[in-house]
Every structure is written in C-alpha cells, then in structure tokens.
Amino acid sequence: MHWQTLDATPFLPPLYWRAMLKRKITGSTLPAHGLRCEVNVNPRNVAAYRKVCGFADSPLLPATYPHILAFGVQMQLLTDPSFPFPLLGLIHLSNRIRLHRPLGGVSHLWINVHAQNLKPHPKGATFDIVTTARDALGLLWEAQSRMLCRGVKLEGAATDAALPTPTHVSELTRWTAPADIGRRYARVSGDYNPIHLSALTAKLFGFPQAIAHGLWNTARSLAALGEHLPAAPIEIDVEFRKPVRLPSDVTLLASAAGSSGEWLLKGAGEIEHMVGQWRPIT
C-alpha cells in the first residue's frame, strides 16, 4: 500500500461536485494507495455531535466520533479519479468498530484511509473502507465500512454473509427519528448525501422518503446503550437492514449488560432496521 499524506483536512464542496459528476462504473480494481492526514479535535464540534446523536457529556469521545474526523479523508479517496465506482449510489451494508483504548484526552489524531477486500456479491460487488486512528501511543481506533456497488461484475462465487438476528433481547428504550435528523446530522458530520436530506432529494435516487444516516442510527443506539457496553478494548459490529424512513418511531432491544451482547433496532410492523453485537477484542 502506497500512502499519500495530505497537508490538511480535505475541503468538502469540490469533492461533492466530483461525486455528482461521476455516475458510471469505470473499472473493477480498487486503488493501491491510501490517504493519511492529521486531524484536530474541536470540543465545540464534539458537543454538537453529542447533542444530535444523544450522547451524554463525557471526557471520552463517542466510539463513533472518529468516523466524523475521517469523513473528509474518506471522501477524498472515494472521489479520486482512480476510484472505479461512483460514490452516489453506494450502499452501506455494515460497519465494524474496534476501540483499542478509551478515547480520552484526544486533541489530534493521524487518520489513515484505504479500500480493500473487493468481492463479488449477488447484487454487484462489495468492498471495505478501512479507517484507522492513531495517537502518540499507536493504534487507538479502527473501522471497516462494507459498501455495495450494484452492477459490478466480478469472477468468483458471490457471497452475502450476515449477522444473526438477535434472539435474547428485550426492549431497552424508544425514540423518534425526526424528519429533519438527516439535515441536522449532516451539519455535524459533513455528510450531505441527498438521500438523507429531504423527501424531494431522496426521490431523485429512488427513495419515497428521506432515510436516516446509518452511522446516525449506530451512534444513537450506542448512546442509548450507554453503560450497557463495557469499556475498551471492545469490538462493535452493526449490519444495516431496512432503512429508517423519516420521520419514524423506533425501538431498541438489547441483551443484558456484559462483556458481550447484541441489540436490534426495530420499527413499525416489526421491521428490522439494524442488528448489532459487541464483544471484547481478543
């Protein structure tokens, strides 16, 4: 892997313009380079993120917050001319977070982003966006976001592995995903994907209503789980199933607090929006 070091966090507007212009698949090979950038943690931005996602005040960053710090670097990679797939239309299937140490006392981090693991899928092809965050002591946090690009044809057997649906869970809490949560989350994350902003912009991409960001669903769930989860080191897996249409009422069901467990986010009519697991890093 060849690493390119960025001088500063990427400026997002030109990257969104690139994303809008690229609408076709241009290849079937992931770029052999990754991007590296030093980012700073702004306490005011963290506070705004906590408010939108429901996290309580804490000296520790939320487990999902490094995704926010890395978003511009991820966008830079995914809109690079060497990247073969159009960003708009990619489907976020699942996410894995590995928190190696508590996210306390963090003022700046080195963020690394690259893509790997291109595989055939029944509906196209999947790949992983791999993001790591390091401080002066070494690896602190890492995540793998599995993405689906429809219409890609690769040789080999197509697979579609899935997390099991949780069975030993009970209701923990409920909340409403309001109609404006996509816009509110976009303001704290920088992620202005049209499918999340309004019914009008979502319809341009085949959705009858705007849908909540998958990472907002994840963050809101982790905020509600709170002390249910053990401290680092911990691994968190989530799989996105049916999107949360806005506005919607959802219910979070979880197993008992402990070193490992699982949860389920459900909507009206027993719709399964998301399943998740947590476990110690071994």
Side-chain angles (χ1 to χ4, degrees), residues 16-171:
Y16 275 109
W17 183 245
R18 274 195 215 168
M20 291 296 294
L21 291 177
K22 182 167 184 175
R23 307 304 292 269
K24 294 182 178 180
I25 296 167
T26 57
S28 58
T29 304
L30 296 174
H33 73 275
L35 301 178
R36 186 170 185 257
C37 184
E38 187 175 15
V39 299
N40 295 315
V41 178
N42 184 317
R44 194 172 293 178
N45 294 344
V46 176
Y49 177 82
R50 289 187 192 279
K51 184 176 181 180
V52 169
C53 298
F55 286 103
D57 289 339
S58 169
L60 304 179
L61 294 179
T64 45
Y65 194 71
H67 272 297
I68 306 304
L69 298 173
F71 180 70
V73 186
Q74 294 168 346
M75 280 283 289
Q76 178 91 8
L77 180 72
L78 293 173
T79 58
D80 188 275
S82 67
F83 201 82
F85 311 135
L87 176 58
L88 293 178
L90 292 180
I91 299 168
H92 194 175
L93 297 180
S94 63
N95 209 63
R96 170 174 290 175
I97 293 173
R98 292 168 64 89
L99 185 60
H100 294 275
R101 288 178 280 121
L103 297 175
V106 178
S107 59
H108 65 277
L109 292 168
W110 276 103
I111 298 292
N112 289 27
V113 178
H114 71 280
Q116 66 177 32
N117 202 27
L118 184 63
K119 290 184 176 181
H121 183 275
K123 296 181 179 178
T126 59
F127 65 94
D128 294 337
I129 304 170
V130 180
T131 307
T132 62
R134 297 175 182 272
D135 63 6
L137 299 177
L139 183 62
L140 178 63
W141 177 99
E142 59 185 321
Q144 289 176 265
S145 300
R146 179 146 297 171
M147 313 299 292
L148 168 66
C149 184
R150 297 178 184 270
V152 180
K153 295 181 179 180
L154 299 177
E155 294 183 1
T159 59
D160 187 15
L163 290 177
T165 298
T167 54
H168 302 291
V169 291
S170 57
E171 182 176 330

Side-chain angles (χ1 to χ4, degrees), residues 176-233:
T176 298
D180 68 343
I181 195 59
R183 297 186 293 277
R184 290 169 55 201
Y185 184 77
R187 285 193 288 271
V188 300
S189 68
D191 187 349
Y192 284 88
N193 188 322
I195 65 175
H196 304 304
L197 302 181
S198 70
L200 181 63
T201 55
K203 285 176 182 176
L204 297 174
F205 294 87
F207 293 90
Q209 297 166 253
I211 63 173
H213 291 75
L215 286 176
W216 180 79
N217 291 329
T218 303
R220 185 66 184 84
S221 297
L222 293 180
L225 286 165
E227 294 182 1
H228 233 66
L229 302 179

